[in-house]
Amino acid sequence: MSFELKQIASGIWSGSFSSFPSDVASHGLSGRLGGVSEAPYDSLNLALHVGDEPEAVIVNRRRYLTALGLDAARLVTPEQVHGEAIARVTARDASRGALSYDDAIAATDALITDEEDLPLLLCFADCTPILFLDPVRRAVGIAHGGWKGTVRRIAAKTVRRMQDEFGSRVEDILVGIGPSIGPCCYEVGAEVAEQFRAAFPGHERELFTEPQPGHTHLSLWAANTIQLEEAGIPREHIDCASVCTACNHAIFYSYRADGGRTGRMAAVIALKKQS
Ligand SMILES: [Zn+2]
């Protein structure tokens, strides 16, 4: 079980989880290299809502999804609002948000589907991408775990929704936690720390470090892992990339390290047609 970052097309780097069977689904976590966007969005910005030229984003999306073997024209993406709404999407939703932010799935922070050839795409720059794959019931999902989504347990709620919608069993679901801001760089204030203490009692040592007195750092990787285990996902099915986007902001977008105005990476997953 490991996370690997490799060049999948000319200049384009993408991360993947070795635990996700490639005959069932295609997936990837993009980096920032190999696209056409200008600074401060340089260069593989995959988000339409951050002020970049839409034409550049559409070229980037086409480049990245083609490199993954997917059709960018069919991708489905939501308007992410740091909430906890989860949408099940079907073939009827194909292309929503692909060319315009206006028809993206409204106010939603996780997508799930059992539809084949329907790429799900969510955008990130420090927030935690959480990918789901049930190879038995053949279903996939992606959740957006910023601190708000994480403390509201969006990852655990996505698992529950896959159980309800697809009959997924927790012992079958594979989970990948992608590159995002690490405990090395994620300093939080007292109010945020307090919410995590209340939401995850007894996990102080996994959640928090104090590199300097008075400076509390939070691990979103730990908070997501804890809630997934509590939801019943076996520990050995949770693959955490443990790659910090702020430490590595030359190859990833980092909202914090780039000073707020920057592009977005994408997490993408699509079920393959059964052969
Ligand atoms: Zn870091």
Side-chain angles (χ1 to χ4, degrees), residues 77-123:
T77 190
E79 173 205 12
Q80 296 165 222
V81 292
H82 294 278
E84 55 189 301
I86 301 161
R88 175 183 180 172
V89 292
T90 69
R92 286 193 304 277
D93 299 303
S95 306
R96 287 189 63 185
L99 299 176
S100 162
Y101 197 55
D102 296 338
D103 66 347
I105 309 283
T108 294
D109 287 88
L111 296 180
I112 58 171
T113 192
D114 62 352
E115 199 79 52
E116 294 171 338
D117 276 341
L118 186 68
L120 310 180
L121 182 149
L122 271 71
C123 293

Side-chain angles (χ1 to χ4, degrees), residues 184-185 244 247:
C184 38
C185 296
C244 173
C247 284

Side-chain angles (χ1 to χ4, degrees), residues 29-33 35 37-38 40-52 56-57 60-61 64 77-78 80 82 101 121-127 129 144 179 245 251-268:
L29 294 124
S30 66
R32 71 182 295 168
L33 306 177
S37 294
E38 309 273 351
Y41 308 106
D42 49 315
S43 60
L44 193 71
N45 170 41
L46 297 176
L48 285 167
H49 66 281
V50 293
D52 192 5
V57 176
N60 290 338
R61 285 179 169 185
Y64 184 60
T77 190
Q80 296 165 222
H82 294 278
Y101 197 55
L121 182 149
L122 271 71
C123 293
F124 300 87
D126 288 343
C127 290
H144 167 228
T245 45
I251 53 170
F252 297 109
Y253 295 107
S254 170
Y255 188 83
R256 284 206 173 185
D258 296 331
R261 201 155 159 261
T262 191
R264 298 288 183 274
M265 284 108 42
V268 176

Side-chain angles (χ1 to χ4, degrees), residues 180-186 217 221 243-248:
S180 39
I181 194 164
C184 38
C185 296
Y186 194 41
H217 286 209
W221 304 337
V243 171
C244 173
T245 45
C247 284
N248 298 290

